[in-house]
Amino acid sequence: MLELNATQIQMGCQATDKQQALALLADALVADGLVAEGYLAGLQAREAQGSTYLGQGIAIPHGTPQTRDKVFHTGVRLIQFPEGVEWGDGQTVYLAIAIAARSDEHLRLLQLLTRALGEDDLSPALREATAAEQILELLQGAPQALALDSQLIGLGVQAEDFDELIWQGARLLKKAGCADAGFANSLAQGTPLPLGNGLWWLNSDETVSRPGLAFVTPATALRHGEQPVSGLFCLASVGEAHRQLLERLCDLLINGQGATFTHATSSRSVLEALGGEVAPDWPALRIVLANAHGLHARPAKALSEIAQAFDGDIRVRLDEQAAGVSAKSLSKLLALGARRGQTLIFSAEPSIAADALPAIEAAVREGLGETVEPLPAAGSAPAVTPVARATPLPAPEAGARLQAVAAAPGIAIGPALLRLVPHLEYAQQGQGREHERARLDDALAQIEADIQRLVEASDEASVRDIFVTHQAMLRDPALREDVDARLAQDLSAEAAWNAEIEAAAQQQEALHDALLAERAADLRDIGRRVLARLCGVEAPREPDEPYILVMDEVAPSDVASLNRQRVAGILTARGGATAHSAIIARALGIPAVVGAGEGVLALAQGTPLLLDGERGLVRVAPDAQVLEQAQREREANQLRRERAHAERLQPAVTRDGHAVEVVANIGASGETAEAVDLGAEGIGLLRTELVFMDHPQAPDQATQEAEYRRVLDALDGRPLVVRTLDVGGDKPLPYWPMPAEENPFLGVRGIRLSLQAPQLLETQLRALFASADGRALRIMFPMVGQVEEWRAARDMALRLRKEIPVADLQLGIMIEVPSAALLAPVLAREVDFFSVGTNDLTQYTLAIDRGHPTLSAQADGLHPSVLRLIGMTVDAAHAHGKWVGVCGELAGDMLAVPLLVGLGVDELSVSARSIALVKARVRELDLKHSQALARDALLLDSAAAVRALVEEQR
Ligand code: PEP
Ligand code: MG
């Protein structure tokens, strides 16, 4: 979301007129890289269409749709003009806020800004401010009024106990935008205050975005402790905003008027008693806004001007809001933040309603000065657009041979199952409650029957349990009731269902409990199925035999949730071999070919496919001869794998007696035992960020300690190399928001992020040290590019070690950035070990994004330049008696193994499933011969030439 901060504000500027002010604003946007040269023309054109004066000495110049393509990033820049600038219509501007926006991302900012414009005129204070912080305070600091309207009153709500009643109150506050995730939890932790008459009071100021009061009464009598519960007030508190209301409530209760609340049958009576906002009983009009970018400045201005032409009050509110705001006020209209598809409810004083409402209706329908695309009609067929396929490419023909990127080895044969995420569009407004309810019932029944079939078909108890839970969710009476309440507000079945599922999922997430967060994912999963059914979009039926999953791109979480028994292989249109999803596919042992191009998304469901995950080959509907050959190869591979597996627990020693340690890369503590069982002599890379991603919020020290302890316990004395948190790049942490970066791979990731958030690294190190209990611990820092980074991280570790002693500790760094490899002779003096992350080292050396859809096939770690950097690292380390591992994907590449051994690498850390094969490969080698091979490879000119050399010598 766009935020205001002091660096965006230029103080004390001068402009002789509006044109000069616009030029200054455009310069500021260009200088900060938000827009291209030429945006000024957009600002001028926009002013020519109508002034952007907002009120109280503020103008909000912005571009036109024609100059939207000049915007690089959405953002704002503010300039203070203490002497004022004449803005037309007799208005003087002291603060101009220039907006660069490609879509409606800035609406929220405008909404906040305009909410700050209270009754008092801000212009004198804006003019006299001498520091940017003062301007910020003025814009953000206006006291907020307590929200109290009909959407915050819930009478006769379903609640089985007091806790559920609290949850219902918190939910109303969240829906009204007063509180965010986590509020229900903090409210529930407070001590309820009895007010007499069965009335109760609870408040919290945690995660509150604006002050508000909700009042809920239970449908059936409840008790809390020994006392009855007939109503609960829930306050989202900010400062003193609620003081007046509280005094009024106390007066009412002291005067014996508690029954107003305990026996309330309408929200109006509650609101009148408390002095909340009550919608006037005026003629009203509902109309859905169709403007593509919502009620932004230009249409809002047009609307306010139409309203101003009438001599009487006209109010407007969004769907569920109460009294609404004056339609004559531009700032209030903007503060609504209305978006396309939302319903505006206008009401006008009876004396002007007959003229004003039709005029407003016509103007809104016509787009308020903008050309608008009509909204989908209620009940009309949804538009379904497969994501990322503007002009679909033709599907490859039968017999076609596609060369793509090898991502996970193995040969897979099976029918294609295309899973494309459809973008569902549907009408917000329904065709009547009964009709929509019947549609929803129908969709729910069909999905339940589908799930029942899955329950019956699945042999695995854990999978069956998941589906049974999904069925229970579909039948949840509370969910149905809430959806019904939305249907009663004339929403379509799709809109009501989707809104309720999202609200319920967010509610679960807010409780910060891993199990409930999983439930939120399940809720969204069934939510999507029902929504797709309502929109008439059928999910593809899974073939009976194991299939090849074809997707645009796979997220790590997609792969992690795949059923290995059902998915024979993965084929994607985009992605690279070292993207994290490919790494997970390898870990699961599912053959994968990625980056095959968009054409594969046009394949017909069920098309027979042959994938060769080692060579990156795809054959579409191959003929019998090709299939036979592939099957033979698969059998030979299988035999090789079985032999290697039988010897997996033997050490990897070359024919001439040189031992290489073969260890595992893991991403979850629970994978350790399996890795050991598959022959790992230790763990060479614990990707702790994957441990972090498994939690709905940053795991605290105790939670982390338990995870690391689990790994060490399962290793039973074998060595463990832990990498500290490596987020950023293609690994964002959902709960660790990071500002968008132009080049995330070159931005704040790895150790850079950890040093910017040292408390995170400190907690992790403490947890690691505490888990060691006398066992050997090796810790390495990711993405180190500068010696200072290593030293800062090392110093922190050594400081903490004094507090939490660790008997056997080694500290090292990953060599992932060319600068670190080139500096290895210096770093080797200070570190205990190096571990080469070839995935990143290759991407940074060859300047190819590791996940690049088309280039990543060329990001081959066997490129002589990468091999040279590895060689330099090993030489430097060995000169100082330090050891070197390789933990990037190259370590598990059968062609790379002889070269890495020849370069002198001491440890190969690979996915657990590759361990047996890597060990078998090492046993086939001769060290002297491998050294000669490596020397030859360093002299070659390309990765392809290196591959050819090794193939030849095989
Ligand atoms: C690497 O870059 O090679 C590595 C092992 O780290 P990651 O793949 O997790 O970035
Ligand atoms: Mg890396």
Side-chain angles (χ1 to χ4, degrees):
M1 190 188 77
L2 261 182
E3 304 246 5
L4 284 180
N5 66 54
T7 62
Q8 300 160 344
I9 307 176
Q10 288 178 30
M11 300 297 293
C13 294
Q14 274 186 358
T16 47
D17 57 17
K18 181 164 155 177
Q19 289 312 321
Q20 201 186 1
L22 292 179
L24 288 175
L25 291 160
D27 286 349
L29 293 175
V30 172
D32 288 348
L34 297 179
V35 300
E37 300 278 354
Y39 193 64
L40 174 60
L43 297 185
Q44 290 165 335
R46 178 62 192 80
E47 294 293 337
Q49 288 164 357
S51 162
T52 61
Y53 184 75
L54 184 65
Q56 303 194 14
I58 300 176
I60 47 167
H62 49 277
T64 58
Q66 289 72 34
T67 47
R68 221 165 253 156
D69 60 352
K70 300 238 177 292
V71 176
F72 300 133
H73 303 288
T74 297
V76 289
R77 289 296 175 268
L78 295 77
I79 299 188
Q80 182 214 26
F81 298 105
E83 290 171 23
V85 178
E86 186 55 46
W87 216 262
D89 306 327
Q91 311 287 9
T92 305
V93 164
Y94 299 103
L95 181 71
I97 304 175
I99 301 172
R102 265 190 285 209
S103 63
D104 56 0
E105 302 124 289
H106 65 295
L107 268 188
R108 172 101 177 112
L109 178 73
L110 278 185
Q111 191 178 12
L112 292 178
L113 195 61
T114 47
R115 268 191 197 143
L117 301 185
E119 300 308 316
D120 299 334
D121 186 3
L122 283 185
S123 41
L126 289 173
R127 190 178 58 217
E128 283 153 25
T130 51
E133 286 71 20
Q134 281 170 282
I135 300 270
L136 271 189
E137 209 168 298
L138 287 167
L139 296 179
Q140 297 175 333
Q144 288 178 299
L146 182 84
L148 175 57
D149 56 37
S150 61
Q151 65 172 331
L152 284 163
I153 310 293
L155 301 179
V157 299
Q158 293 298 332
E160 279 187 7
D161 54 24
F162 192 58
D163 284 344
E164 213 173 322
L165 194 64
I166 296 175
W167 185 81
Q168 295 281 15
R171 192 159 162 254
L172 294 181
L173 286 161
K174 270 182 66 189
K175 277 206 278 191
C178 296
D180 297 318
F183 181 74
N185 211 14
S186 65
L187 204 59
Q189 280 166 11
T191 308
L193 183 72
L195 302 175
N197 287 40
L199 293 170
W200 294 78
W201 174 274
L202 255 178
N203 61 283
S204 168
D205 58 5
E206 280 176 38
T207 71
V208 171
S209 30
R210 67 183 179 118
L213 181 78
F215 177 64
V216 278
T217 63
T220 48
L222 294 181
R223 298 191 76 76
H224 178 59
E226 295 301 298
Q227 302 182 50
V229 176
S230 52
L232 170 68
F233 294 94
C234 299
L235 174 73
S237 115
V238 176
E240 296 287 291
H242 57 280
R243 178 192 281 261
Q244 262 187 348
L245 173 123
L246 193 55
E247 282 168 7
R248 187 170 177 145
L249 178 61
C250 290
D251 285 348
L252 288 170
L253 296 175
I254 292 165
N255 293 329
Q257 293 178 40
T260 315
F261 305 108
T262 50
H263 295 120
T265 50
S266 77
S267 54
R268 178 172 279 267
S269 60
V270 175
L271 291 171
E272 278 170 353
L274 291 172
E277 285 187 71
V278 185
D281 206 4
W282 293 343
L285 153 79
R286 296 171 70 91
I287 182 159
V288 183
L289 189 71
N291 296 58
H293 302 291
L295 198 56
H296 64 96
R298 186 159 161 223
K301 180 115 192 299
L303 180 56
S304 67
E305 282 167 3
I306 294 163
Q308 282 161 15
F310 292 93
D311 199 7
D313 202 2
I314 302 173
R315 309 200 58 86
V316 56
R317 64 189 200 270
L318 276 176
D319 269 352
E320 294 162 5
Q321 295 178 350
V325 298
S326 167
K328 297 182 175 185
S329 159
L330 173 58
S331 61
K332 295 278 188 302
L333 286 177
L334 288 172
L336 283 178
R339 293 169 186 274
R340 175 176 159 94
Q342 282 192 297
T343 303
L344 294 170
I345 305 168
F346 290 91
S347 56
E349 266 183 51
S351 59
I352 55 163
D355 295 328
L357 294 180
I360 286 177
E361 179 169 17
V364 175
R365 281 203 196 292
E366 279 161 26
L368 296 164
E370 293 189 319
T371 313
V372 290
E373 285 279 323
L375 291 152
S380 67
V384 182
T385 12
V387 169
R389 266 214 289 165
T391 42
L393 291 176
E397 287 174 5
R401 181 178 184 278
L402 310 176
Q403 178 65 59
V405 182
I411 291 175
I413 301 168
L417 177 74
L418 279 95
R419 193 170 291 158
L420 307 178
V421 183
H423 171 66
L424 302 170
E425 255 199 31
Y426 46 83
Q428 287 290 316
Q429 237 178 322
Q431 294 175 310
R433 182 179 180 175
E434 288 316 314
H435 175 76
E436 298 298 320
R437 187 188 277 171
R439 291 182 58 229
L440 181 62
D441 284 344
D442 199 31
L444 289 172
Q446 289 183 40
I447 295 294
E448 183 154 0
D450 286 354
I451 298 179
Q452 183 57 31
R453 274 195 290 278
L454 291 174
V455 171
E456 284 159 16
S458 70
D459 321 323
E460 274 194 43
S462 57
V463 176
R464 235 187 353 259
D465 285 352
I466 294 175
F467 291 134
V468 170
T469 316
H470 283 190
Q471 281 180 321
M473 286 176 178
L474 281 178
R475 293 186 200 129
D476 181 350
L479 180 68
R480 288 305 310 274
E481 261 166 40
D482 289 343
V483 176
D484 259 1
R486 291 181 191 262
L487 291 178
Q489 292 163 4
D490 282 345
L491 288 185
S492 65
E494 291 90 340
W497 172 257
N498 200 33
E500 201 46 54
I501 287 285
E502 196 39 44
Q506 285 180 14
Q507 185 69 40
Q508 300 291 343
E509 283 165 344
L511 298 177
H512 294 313
D513 172 299
L515 268 179
L516 293 176
E518 269 174 28
R519 194 171 164 227
D522 284 335
L523 259 175
R524 290 203 174 93
D525 194 358
I526 56 160
R528 270 192 296 271
R529 279 169 179 244
V530 174
L531 190 63
R533 183 59 61 101
L534 279 168
C535 293
V537 177
E538 297 269 337
R541 195 175 281 276
E542 289 195 4
D544 295 334
E545 62 205 288
Y547 52 85
I548 312 267
L549 187 62
V550 183
M551 297 171 87
D552 184 22
E553 208 175 12
V554 228
S557 58
D558 289 330
V559 185
S561 61
L562 290 180
N563 179 347
R564 277 187 241 168
Q565 264 70 51
R566 305 283 303 124
V567 181
I570 299 172
L571 171 63
T572 71
R574 297 194 284 168
T578 51
H580 285 91
S581 41
I583 293 174
I584 295 176
R586 270 191 291 278
L588 289 179
I590 302 177
V593 173
V594 299
E598 278 187 31
V600 298
L601 302 178
L603 285 168
Q605 297 285 6
T607 307
L609 294 177
L610 162 62
L611 293 193
D612 181 340
E614 196 133 23
R615 301 193 181 92
L617 268 183
V618 184
R619 304 293 294 251
V620 179
D623 60 29
Q625 204 187 338
V626 172
L627 268 182
E628 248 170 56
Q629 196 192 326
Q631 259 148 357
R632 270 199 305 277
E633 199 172 325
R634 191 160 64 168
E635 277 152 25
N637 285 348
Q638 185 57 26
L639 207 62
R640 191 151 50 90
R641 216 169 284 129
E642 277 166 17
R643 269 199 218 119
H645 185 73
E647 291 169 5
R648 69 194 185 281
L649 299 178
Q650 308 300 322
V653 182
T654 60
R655 289 202 311 242
D656 49 351
H658 173 73
V660 178
E661 206 175 352
V662 183
V663 290
N665 292 347
I666 58 168
S669 53
E671 292 170 17
T672 320
E674 194 190 3
V676 170
D677 191 42
L678 289 171
E681 294 168 308
I683 298 298
L685 168 63
L686 168 60
R687 286 187 164 97
T688 56
E689 60 282 355
L690 299 183
V691 175
F692 272 62
M693 283 174 197
D694 248 6
H695 291 268
Q697 59 184 353
D700 60 15
Q701 187 180 325
T703 312
Q704 287 189 56
E705 188 185 322
E707 295 272 10
Y708 306 142
R709 209 175 264 286
R710 206 168 151 207
V711 179
L712 283 161
D713 290 349
L715 279 173
D716 199 17
R718 294 176 185 82
L720 165 65
V721 181
V722 183
R723 170 173 77 190
T724 59
L725 191 64
D726 180 24
V727 290
D730 67 339
K731 289 181 285 188
L733 260 191
Y735 45 81
W736 192 264
M738 283 187 263
E741 292 177 301
E742 186 101 355
N743 290 306
F745 276 124
L746 302 182
V748 184
R749 63 168 299 204
I751 192 67
R752 297 175 187 165
L753 179 81
S754 294
L755 293 175
Q756 282 186 16
Q759 75 288 358
L760 209 67
L761 182 59
E762 215 177 292
T763 307
Q764 185 171 32
L765 290 172
R766 280 179 196 280
L768 279 166
F769 290 175
S771 68
D773 270 348
R775 297 172 285 195
L777 189 60
R778 300 170 185 184
I779 297 176
M780 61 185 179
F781 303 105
M783 297 295 304
V784 170
Q786 323 249 12
V787 73
E788 294 82 3
E789 291 167 341
W790 145 251
R791 287 182 188 150
R794 175 201 58 192
D795 290 350
M796 181 190 284
L798 295 181
R799 172 169 59 78
L800 295 172
R801 189 186 186 181
K802 288 193 187 124
E803 278 176 42
I804 313 170
V806 194
D808 184 357
L809 175 69
Q810 289 189 15
L811 295 175
I813 61 169
M814 291 192 70
I815 300 288
E816 303 185 277
V817 185
S819 63
L822 295 166
L823 215 59
V826 175
L827 287 163
R829 286 190 227 130
E830 303 181 23
V831 300
D832 294 320
F833 67 96
F834 290 131
S835 181
V836 187
T838 48
N839 307 335
D840 279 313
L841 186 62
T842 307
Q843 96 163 332
Y844 293 125
T845 304
L846 300 180
I848 295 177
D849 181 340
R850 60 195 272 183
H852 193 283
T854 53
L855 294 176
S856 55
Q858 295 172 42
D860 189 337
L862 283 189
H863 196 281
S865 58
V866 181
L867 295 178
R868 278 171 188 264
L869 291 173
I870 298 174
M872 288 171 65
T873 306
V874 174
D875 291 346
H878 287 178
H880 289 88
K882 311 291 167 68
W883 63 272
V884 180
V886 171
C887 62
E889 295 308 303
L890 197 67
D893 182 331
M894 293 306 143
L895 291 183
V897 172
L899 295 171
L900 296 176
V901 171
L903 287 171
V905 169
D906 305 286
E907 176 226 53
L908 296 172
S909 191
V910 300
S911 82
R913 281 170 191 281
S914 308
I915 285 174
L917 284 173
V918 170
K919 281 184 163 181
R921 185 78 189 102
V922 172
R923 289 188 205 113
E924 289 167 4
L925 302 176
D926 176 277
L927 179 63
K928 293 271 171 322
H929 180 254
S930 299
Q931 285 168 338
L933 187 72
R935 272 196 303 276
D936 291 347
L938 292 184
L939 299 175
L940 294 175
D941 58 1
S942 68
V946 174
R947 286 198 179 273
L949 173 76
V950 188
E951 285 268 24
E952 228 171 69
Q953 309 271 321
R954 223 169 165 174

